[in-house]
Amino acid sequence: MISVQESSDAASARSYFDTMQGNLAPVQPIEGLANLGLPAYETTGGVVVFLKDNMTLQVDARKLTDRVGPHGVTRTAFSYQVATAILGCWTEH
């Protein structure tokens, strides 16, 4: 599942992002270059969440098999790949 929550402003988006983090606990922050300079976290079960401007992007692969695709990546790695592909194309309209 891919979802984007658009909030009215950056502060509201941060509040939503933080609330999601509490609901998905335990989560681990995505740090360094891997977070693309954005607040982000992931679960071991296959959820990746990024915050950009006033939008929260969630990619949830928990309904997939433990390993995905011909290379057998984890659900979390798959979610991360999808999220970063979306963020790479994400522009304001």
Side-chain angles (χ1 to χ4, degrees):
M1 174 190 73
I2 299 169
S3 65
V4 175
Q5 172 67 36
E6 186 172 3
S7 300
S8 58
D9 53 45
S12 297
R14 183 61 194 227
S15 177
Y16 180 79
F17 175 84
D18 292 342
T19 299
M20 281 185 65
Q21 184 172 0
N23 293 338
L24 291 170
V27 300
Q28 185 169 17
I30 300 174
E31 299 177 321
L33 294 176
N35 71 11
L36 309 175
L38 302 169
Y41 52 82
E42 64 187 13
T43 70
T44 58
V47 179
V48 172
V49 181
F50 279 86
L51 176 64
K52 182 173 169 115
D53 303 321
N54 67 326
M55 294 174 277
T56 306
L57 169 65
Q58 176 184 3
V59 180
D60 183 346
R62 290 180 289 187
K63 291 186 178 181
L64 299 177
T65 58
D66 287 343
R67 297 289 176 168
V68 181
H71 300 291
V73 299
T74 66
R75 291 183 292 221
T76 302
F78 177 77
S79 289
Y80 176 80
Q81 291 172 3
V82 171
T84 56
I86 291 168
L87 289 167
C89 301
W90 201 325
T91 61
E92 286 189 49
H93 294 288

